[in-house]
Amino acid sequence: DAKTTQPPSMDCAEGRAANLPCNHSTISGNEYVYWYRQIHSQGPQYIIHGLKNNETNEMASLIITEDRKSSTLILPHATLRDTAVYYCIVRSSGGGADGLTFGKGTHLIIQP
Amino acid sequence: DTAVSQTPKYLVTQMGNDKSIKCEQNLGHDTMYWYKQDSKKFLKIMFSYNNKELIINETVPNRFSPKSPDKAHLNLHINSLELGDSAVYFCASRESGPYNEQFFGPGTRLTVL
């Protein structure tokens, strides 16, 4: 799986949009971008994934650049409960049973 | 509630003991995993089971052995516990397929004294 690079930490004001960047310059054609988050003392939680088109669900939006070398996770109206470590993971679409490779992630702190 | 559950939530034990952590999922998934999160918060895959067959063993010591009595359960047995085994262990499951996400349990905090 391709390597990802994320800033170690970010702050965002409550109610504002939180934009979390991720670089994955070595991503290959069959690799998807996945985002998970881990709220303190809980198990990781899936947020969203995409291949090349922008994606949106009830939790977030995912914007992937045209060259697919970077992406941005957007939490449109951040709340205090969104404070967590956010992981950007690149994974092939092979569908095998291999586990996820977590990096260090971005610690997002939502300020009241 | 449909979920991935783990027991116990906390486990404190002495070095050299043998212990087990249980994991159950009622999501009907066919693949289950164990992850280890150390004190530096790095999450690493340990094992996965697909259709009762071990798929991955990521250089984990053979003191660790996953056991799957059925598709809904993947238990983790640890023999001769060492101080370095202290960590939070997460179980996860997914339905095999190219896009399906993993669902994680709440974790088991293991402390070896």
Side-chain angles (χ1 to χ4, degrees):
Chain A
D1 296 336
K3 180 178 167 57
T4 62
T5 304
Q6 299 177 251
S9 65
M10 291 182 64
D11 286 350
C12 179
E14 189 178 16
R16 306 297 290 266
N19 297 284
L20 292 91
C22 179
N23 286 324
H24 31 79
S25 59
T26 61
I27 193 170
S28 60
N30 70 341
E31 289 182 317
Y32 281 69
V33 180
Y34 283 78
W35 284 83
Y36 283 75
R37 73 179 182 183
Q38 186 174 24
I39 295 170
H40 181 61
S41 297
Q42 297 183 20
Q45 176 191 24
Y46 165 82
I47 301 173
I48 198 168
H49 75 276
L51 180 63
K52 54 184 178 181
N53 297 322
N54 297 340
E55 302 287 345
T56 295
N57 63 19
E58 64 279 3
M59 289 184 69
S61 294
L62 175 60
I63 309 297
I64 302 174
T65 58
E66 193 169 340
D67 64 7
R68 302 208 326 120
K69 293 185 177 181
S70 65
S71 59
T72 301
L73 177 75
I74 301 173
L75 308 178
H77 304 287
T79 70
L80 297 179
R81 287 178 293 182
D82 292 321
T83 292
V85 178
Y86 286 77
Y87 298 97
C88 169
I89 299 168
V90 170
R91 188 170 186 271
S92 70
S93 61
D98 51 318
L100 297 170
T101 302
F102 287 86
K104 298 180 182 180
T106 295
H107 187 194
L108 175 66
I109 300 171
I110 306 301
Q111 304 283 2
Chain B
D1 289 343
T2 55
V4 179
S5 59
Q6 297 179 225
T7 53
K9 187 168 175 62
Y10 299 97
L11 181 55
V12 181
T13 187
Q14 300 286 331
M15 269 198 315
N17 285 350
D18 303 337
K19 290 293 179 184
S20 295
I21 305 172
K22 295 186 177 180
C23 177
E24 176 182 4
Q25 55 93 7
N26 59 5
L27 299 164
H29 292 165
D30 61 3
T31 306
M32 296 183 71
Y33 305 84
W34 277 105
Y35 289 82
K36 177 181 180 181
Q37 187 166 40
D38 60 24
S39 57
K40 295 183 178 179
K41 304 296 185 184
F42 292 123
L43 258 169
K44 292 186 179 178
I45 180 70
M46 298 178 71
F47 302 105
S48 70
Y49 256 100
N50 188 327
N51 295 321
K52 292 196 174 185
E53 198 169 349
L54 178 65
I55 301 299
I56 291 176
N57 183 331
E58 292 285 327
T59 65
V60 172
N62 58 14
R63 297 182 295 103
F64 291 77
S65 56
K67 299 245 184 333
S68 181
D70 55 58
K71 202 171 83 166
H73 296 84
L74 183 64
N75 303 325
L76 184 64
H77 298 272
I78 316 169
N79 295 326
S80 302
L81 278 156
E82 300 178 358
L83 293 177
D85 298 333
S86 295
V88 181
Y89 292 84
F90 290 99
C91 177
S93 72
R94 73 187 281 264
E95 185 64 21
S96 58
Y99 319 117
N100 295 323
E101 68 268 27
Q102 293 188 20
F103 291 80
F104 285 79
T108 295
R109 181 175 293 277
L110 171 65
T111 302
V112 182
L113 303 175

